Every structure is written in structure tokens, then in C-alpha cells.
């Protein structure tokens, strides 16, 4: 027993834990500096209409180009940015950069499509979020219908607050989607009253769609429900032709996944949009 206690006591102070705290501290300082130095970039993943395979939107996803560690993915630094509050300036940059880039593509003559941006929890709780977003739209000269904001179910736990916040955002004329749908706290009661345009079926349901009848049933149910509520439905993480065929059969509107494209640099996405515009204009559509 004494040994166990001793062991437990020791476990409270393992060198690994010191390292964890140290690296979190380092990460916080690095993040602070990275925001100042502009070490972040956005990549864009196409969202495609299932019957036509036309690109109907993109999702902006953040990447950190760390001077020593190379590309760091959001899963590693977003949680720390949330904890430290650094997410607020960072998220503001994300929205501004996504809007700026989208407007630049439009001015270049590419077919206009909406860009969607992931909202962070803290950002959603900011009392002046609507004003901040409105200011960015004016500053970047992007029409509001070309901006979509993604929230998660966890942000809607306080139904009254969320309804009011979403209503205010919707009044700007932009779109709202629910990301990772089906994985969080969900009340059908809020779903019917929230001004939500689109449900994004979480990747975890799509992944096993062919093997797990329960996942398949959930996916079909989300599609049907979304359509009855007048919402668009998009499947995340589509990787195989079989998954696509299934989604097509059950009337899923759009897909986002490696099957069509991973997230792309702005230059690569631009090329994709350009070649698609040429294909449509030239009448050589293969759809
Ligand atoms: P998310 O919003 O659900 O984004 C989709 C994630 O799935 C992206 O990961 C994307 O690269 C990945 N993905 C897309 N298609 C496939 C596929 O076919 N198979 C698989 N296995 N994965 C696929 P990423 O870019 O690492 O982003 C992870 C999460 O980080 C995002 O999940 C989002 O919650 C968060 N995130 C990303 N950018 C931002 C941002 O600018 N602000 C905030 N607050 N969160 C962000
Ligand atoms: Mg998302
Ligand atoms: Mg998602
Ligand atoms: Mg997510």
C-alpha cells in the first residue's frame, strides 16, 4: 500500500508532466509570437454538389507554419489557443483572411462561392461578435451570402443565448452550419428553432457507413431530417466511391472529403476553380 501511495505521489510529478507543462507554456508563448509574426495560413477544402460534382463552397482550415516544427495542425494548437484566450485574435484573423481571399477570387473572375469558417467557443460567446463580423465584411468588401460560419452543438447548450446570437448573425445575411453534427449535445427542439442553413454530418458516421448498419441509419436519418427542416446536408470525410454511392442514393446534397480533394493551398484551389469554370463554359462537362 505504502508503495502504491508512493507511486501515486511520484506520478503527480513525473518528468513527463513537467515536460507537458513546459511544452504547453512554450506553445502559448510561441502562439503569441506567431500571431504577431503572421505564421498562420489557411488551406481550403472544396465542398462539392453530389449530383453535379461542381464546387459549391470551400471550408477554410488553419495551419501553423512553425519555424522549427514545420506545419502544425489545428488539433494541436486550437485547444491551447482556446484555453489562453489567444483564440480571439487568431479567429479574427481567420475570418478576415478567408473573406479577403474569397473576395480576391471573385475579383479575379472566378465563379463566386461561399467560404466557411469554424467559429471557436470563445468567439461565439463574445458579445460583439456580430459587430466584428459585420466590420470584416465591410473591410474586405465581401457580400455576406459568401460567408458561412460553422458552429458546433456544444455552443448551443445555452439555447436562449445561442438563439439570440445566431439570429443576430443571420440578420447580417450570412449562412450558418452545424459542424460535426451528431457527435455533441443535440436537442431537436433547438434544431427546429435555430436559423441554421446546413448540417455537416460528422466524419465518424460516414467512415463506417458501409459496415455499421447503425451508422448508416443515423446518416439516412440526418439527411431526411435536414431536408424536412429545409436545410442542406453535407457529408464530411468522404473517402471512398462506395460511401459516395450510398450518400447519393439517400439524397445527401454535398460532400467534403479526400475522395474529391484534401484541403488545398489558395493557389491550388484557384486552379481547381479556374479549370472548373473553363469546363462549364466550354460545355465539355463530364458530369
Ligand atoms: P472540422 O471543421 O470538422 O474540419 C474537417 C477536418 O477533417 C479537417 O481537419 C480536414 O482536413 C479533415 N478531413 C477532410 N476530409 C477528410 C477525409 O476525407 N478524411 C479524413 N480522415 N479527414 C478529412 P483539420 O484541418 O486538421 O482540422 C481539424 C479541426 O480543427 C476542424 O475540424 C476544426 O474543428 C478545427 N479548425 C480548423 N481550422 C480552424 C479555425 O480556423 N478555427 C477554429 N476555431 N477551428 C479550426
Ligand atoms: Mg468545420
Ligand atoms: Mg467537422
Ligand atoms: Mg470539428
Amino acid at each position: 500500500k505504502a508503495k502504491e501511495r508512493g507511486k501515486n505521489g511520484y506520478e503527480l510529478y513525473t518528468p513527463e508532466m513537467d515536460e507537458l507543462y513546459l511544452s504547453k507554456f512554450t506553445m502559448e508563448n510561441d502562439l503569441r509570437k506567431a500571431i504577431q509574426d503572421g505564421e498562420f495560413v489557411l488551406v481550403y477544402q472544396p465542398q462539392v454538389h453530389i449530383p453535379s460534382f461542381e464546387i459549391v463552397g470551400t471550408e477554410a482550415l488553419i495551419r501553423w507554419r512553425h519555424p522549427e516544427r514545420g506545419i502544425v495542425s489545428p488539433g494541436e494548437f486550437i485547444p491551447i489557443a482556446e484555453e489562453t484566450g489567444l483564440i480571439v485574435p487568431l479567429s479574427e484573423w481567420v475570418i478576415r483572411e478567408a473573406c479577403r481571399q474569397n473576395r480576391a477570387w471573385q475579383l479575379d473572375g472566378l465563379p463566386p462561392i461561399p467560404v466557411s469558417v469554424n467559429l471557436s467557443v470563445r468567439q461565439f460567446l463574445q458579445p460583439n461578435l456580430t459587430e466584428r463580423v459585420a466590420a470584416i465584411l465591410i473591410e474586405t468588401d465581401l457580400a455576406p451570402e459568401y460567408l458561412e460560419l460553422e458552429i458546433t452543438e456544444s455552443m448551443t447548450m445555452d439555447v436562449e443565448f445561442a438563439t439570440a446570437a445566431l439570429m443576430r448573425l443571420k440578420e447580417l445575411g450570412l449562412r450558418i452550419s452545424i459542424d460535426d453534427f451528431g457527435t455533441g449535445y443535440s436537442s431537436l427542439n433547438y434544431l427546429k428553432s435555430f436559423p441554421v442553413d446546413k448540417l455537416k454530418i460528422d466524419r465518424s458516421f460516414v467512415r463506417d457507413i458501409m459496415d455499421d448498419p447503425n451508422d448508416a441509419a443515423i446518416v439516412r436519418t440526418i439527411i431526411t431530417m435536414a431536408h424536412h427542416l429545409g436545410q442542406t446536408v453535407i457529408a464530411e470525410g468522404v473517402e471512398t466511391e462506395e460511401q459516395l454511392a450510398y450518400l447519393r442514393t439517400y439524397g445527401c446534397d454535398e460532400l467534403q472529403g479526400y475522395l474529391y480533394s484534401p484541403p488545398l493551398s489558395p493557389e491550388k484551389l484557384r486552379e481547381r476553380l479556374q479549370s472548373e469554370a473553363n469546363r462549364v463554359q466550354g460545355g465539355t462537362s463530364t458530369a
Side-chain angles (χ1 to χ4, degrees), residues 267-281:
E267 296 73 29
K268 282 265 164 7
L269 186 82
R270 193 192 179 292
E271 280 170 29
R272 278 297 256 276
L273 289 174
Q274 187 64 61
S275 69
E276 182 169 296
N278 294 342
R279 180 173 64 108
V280 171
Q281 270 169 9

Side-chain angles (χ1 to χ4, degrees), residues 59 118 150 179 200 236:
E59 178 173 5
N118 294 281
E150 298 190 2
D179 201 2
K200 304 191 72 176
E236 296 193 271

Side-chain angles (χ1 to χ4, degrees), residues 199-224:
L199 297 186
K200 304 191 72 176
I201 305 176
D202 190 67
R203 196 168 79 214
S204 59
F205 301 116
V206 175
R207 188 181 53 221
D208 299 325
I209 211 173
M210 306 312 293
D211 308 313
D212 185 337
N214 291 333
D215 282 339
I218 289 168
V219 167
R220 291 196 307 272
T221 304
I222 295 175
I223 295 171
T224 307

Side-chain angles (χ1 to χ4, degrees), residues 175 196-200 226-227 230-234 253-254:
R175 308 180 188 208
V196 165
D197 301 280
K198 194 182 202 178
L199 297 186
K200 304 191 72 176
H227 286 163
Q231 294 158 345
T232 303
V233 60
I234 181 166
D253 304 297
E254 299 169 11

Side-chain angles (χ1 to χ4, degrees), residues 206-210 237-248 259:
V206 175
R207 188 181 53 221
D208 299 325
I209 211 173
M210 306 312 293
V238 179
E239 295 183 357
T240 69
E241 290 290 348
E242 289 74 24
Q243 291 165 344
L244 167 61
Y246 191 91
L247 292 162
R248 192 200 308 264
L259 177 66

Side-chain angles (χ1 to χ4, degrees), residues 107-260:
L107 291 171
D108 253 11
L110 293 166
I113 50 168
V115 65
S116 73
V117 170
N118 294 281
L119 282 189
S120 71
V121 179
R122 281 220 199 198
Q123 203 178 10
F124 189 65
L125 294 174
Q126 271 191 301
N128 65 346
L129 175 63
T130 309
E131 289 73 20
R132 300 299 318 144
V133 174
I136 292 172
L137 288 169
I138 290 169
E139 183 190 321
T140 58
D141 191 33
L142 185 73
E145 69 254 42
Y146 296 114
L147 176 63
E148 179 174 303
L149 298 178
E150 298 190 2
I151 60 162
T152 55
E153 290 161 288
S154 63
M155 298 180 197
T156 64
M157 304 251 267
D158 182 342
V159 178
E160 233 170 273
F161 174 86
T163 309
L166 292 175
M167 293 287 188
R168 280 198 301 273
L169 286 169
K170 276 301 290 179
E171 276 170 22
L172 295 180
L174 44 73
R175 308 180 188 208
I176 306 283
S177 60
I178 303 186
D179 201 2
D180 306 337
F181 187 76
T183 59
Y185 165 95
S186 245
S187 149
L188 297 179
N189 205 33
Y190 83 59
L191 201 59
K192 87 172 184 222
S193 62
F194 281 176
V196 165
D197 301 280
K198 194 182 202 178
L199 297 186
K200 304 191 72 176
I201 305 176
D202 190 67
R203 196 168 79 214
S204 59
F205 301 116
V206 175
R207 188 181 53 221
D208 299 325
I209 211 173
M210 306 312 293
D211 308 313
D212 185 337
N214 291 333
D215 282 339
I218 289 168
V219 167
R220 291 196 307 272
T221 304
I222 295 175
I223 295 171
T224 307
M225 183 181 65
H227 286 163
H228 282 306
L229 293 171
Q231 294 158 345
T232 303
V233 60
I234 181 166
E236 296 193 271
V238 179
E239 295 183 357
T240 69
E241 290 290 348
E242 289 74 24
Q243 291 165 344
L244 167 61
Y246 191 91
L247 292 162
R248 192 200 308 264
T249 300
Y250 290 98
C252 186
D253 304 297
E254 299 169 11
L255 76 82
Q256 179 180 340
Y258 296 164
L259 177 66
Y260 184 83

